[in-house]
Amino acid sequence: MAILCEIIYLLILALSIPSGLVFSVSQDNIYSRGPYFVIYIFAYFVSILYLSLSTIFVSKQFQNRSKALIYPLMIFLVAETIIQILVLDLHVSWLCVTLLSVLYFIYCSEMWNQLDGLTGLLNQNSFLNRSEEMNYTNGMLIVFDVDDFKHVNDVFGHVKGDLCLSIISDCIKKAYAKYGYCYRVGGDEFCVLLKNSRNEEACSAQFESFIEKKRKKYNYLPSVSYGSAMLLTGDIVSVKDLADQNMYLNKKKNKKQQ
């Protein structure tokens, strides 16, 4: 869609250059606006709107906790454009666009650096940073471990193993991302930082439902054990240790049922 809009705009611009309908540049390299300069302004603001919405959508999809930074960037660009329109002798558009491009690149780099490449969940570094900022009043840590994951790799191959991790991570994100942050912290280890422990039971039920539906399509998809612990202190190591203990109890229970 963005490419199509750009092609249409460039065609209009190319057709209007000889007549100077949008803008013109004299032999003395003096820039002047044409009677239909509004076409440029319209395309400019549509591009800003498209960039803003697509960035917000992508950052939400990947749980980017820095997505609020995009708002001041876009406000800055819109304000600069309005100033440029009102003050004709002030030429700051491309200077501000260049500055915005650098800031936007830094923003996107920071967002991608938070992600795990295979699953699209937040990575371990993001987990360590976020756990230091959590509210320890009602928060909860939930850890997940894929049962007999080595068996999947050995019998079905590593491609199927990676597919299992992607499916499981997708189920975790669908069930928990609305109420917290989802991470892949190791090979087949995942965790969730819930903002409020009251949502844990409903999220867990959703997660199990999603996994069972996927297992009907992918019969090699293994079960997943999980355990939780309240974030009552700032010591995330001890909290994770307690959650791991509860997870291993759940793993033993799953093995007995098999």
Side-chain angles (χ1 to χ4, degrees):
M1 183 177 178
I3 294 172
L4 179 62
C5 291
E6 181 68 16
I7 291 172
I8 293 172
Y9 170 69
L10 289 175
L11 286 174
I12 295 173
L13 195 61
L15 293 172
S16 65
I17 284 176
S19 60
L21 292 176
V22 177
F23 68 84
S24 62
V25 181
S26 69
Q27 291 181 349
D28 298 325
N29 204 30
I30 298 174
Y31 168 89
S32 59
R33 300 174 182 179
Y36 294 98
F37 188 72
V38 66
I39 295 175
Y40 170 79
I41 298 299
F42 176 77
Y44 195 82
F45 275 106
V46 168
S47 300
I48 294 173
L49 179 63
Y50 182 85
L51 178 64
S52 303
L53 293 178
S54 61
T55 303
I56 292 168
F57 175 77
V58 171
S59 62
K60 182 179 180 181
Q61 183 180 2
F62 291 107
Q63 310 173 85
N64 183 29
R65 57 193 177 91
S66 303
K67 58 179 178 287
L69 293 176
I70 199 64
Y71 301 121
L73 289 180
M74 295 308 164
I75 292 172
F76 164 76
L77 187 58
V78 170
E80 166 273 320
T81 305
I82 294 173
I83 291 172
Q84 177 71 85
I85 295 170
L86 296 177
V87 185
L88 299 181
D89 295 331
L90 191 64
H91 299 287
V92 296
S93 290
W94 295 114
L95 177 63
C96 292
V97 167
T98 302
L99 178 60
L100 177 75
S101 298
V102 174
L103 295 174
Y104 188 74
F105 175 78
I106 294 172
Y107 169 82
C108 290
S109 297
E110 191 272 340
M111 180 173 70
W112 297 126
N113 287 336
Q114 293 181 27
L115 298 176
D116 172 66
L118 175 63
T119 63
L121 298 184
L122 298 169
N123 58 26
Q124 187 178 37
N125 285 337
S126 184
F127 166 72
L128 294 174
N129 292 333
R130 182 62 185 174
S131 62
E132 295 177 357
E133 305 168 3
M134 284 291 291
N135 179 0
Y136 295 104
T137 304
N138 298 311
M140 173 175 278
L141 171 67
I142 307 170
V143 296
F144 302 80
D145 188 81
V146 182
D147 298 333
D148 298 320
F149 183 63
K150 186 177 183 301
H151 174 77
V152 176
N153 282 330
D154 292 343
V155 175
F156 299 99
H158 289 277
V159 174
K160 289 289 195 299
D162 287 347
L163 180 60
C164 285
L165 294 179
S166 296
I167 293 171
I168 291 168
S169 65
D170 188 56
C171 292
I172 291 174
K173 186 160 66 172
K174 285 181 178 179
Y176 292 91
K178 185 178 178 181
Y179 302 102
Y181 300 95
C182 307
Y183 305 85
R184 182 190 180 198
V185 292
D188 61 330
E189 298 176 13
F190 305 88
C191 73
V192 171
L193 284 170
L194 273 186
K195 300 173 185 177
N196 196 314
S197 59
R198 290 180 296 180
N199 299 313
E200 193 267 341
E201 186 175 347
C203 290
S204 297
Q206 272 196 321
F207 171 69
E208 291 178 358
S209 175
F210 291 147
I211 285 289
E212 286 304 315
K213 288 179 181 178
K214 290 293 184 181
R215 192 172 285 115
K216 292 177 182 178
K217 183 177 180 180
Y218 305 95
N219 56 7
Y220 54 86
L221 188 66
S223 59
V224 180
S225 300
Y226 55 91
S228 60
M230 293 290 293
L231 292 168
L232 298 177
T233 67
D235 185 6
I236 190 64
V237 176
S238 61
V239 173
K240 189 174 186 304
D241 184 56
L242 178 58
D244 281 336
Q245 293 178 34
N246 292 330
M247 182 269 293
Y248 283 118
L249 291 174
N250 183 239
K251 188 180 285 286
K252 290 179 181 179
K253 180 182 177 182
N254 288 341
K255 287 185 176 180
K256 287 180 180 180
Q257 292 177 349
Q258 293 174 357

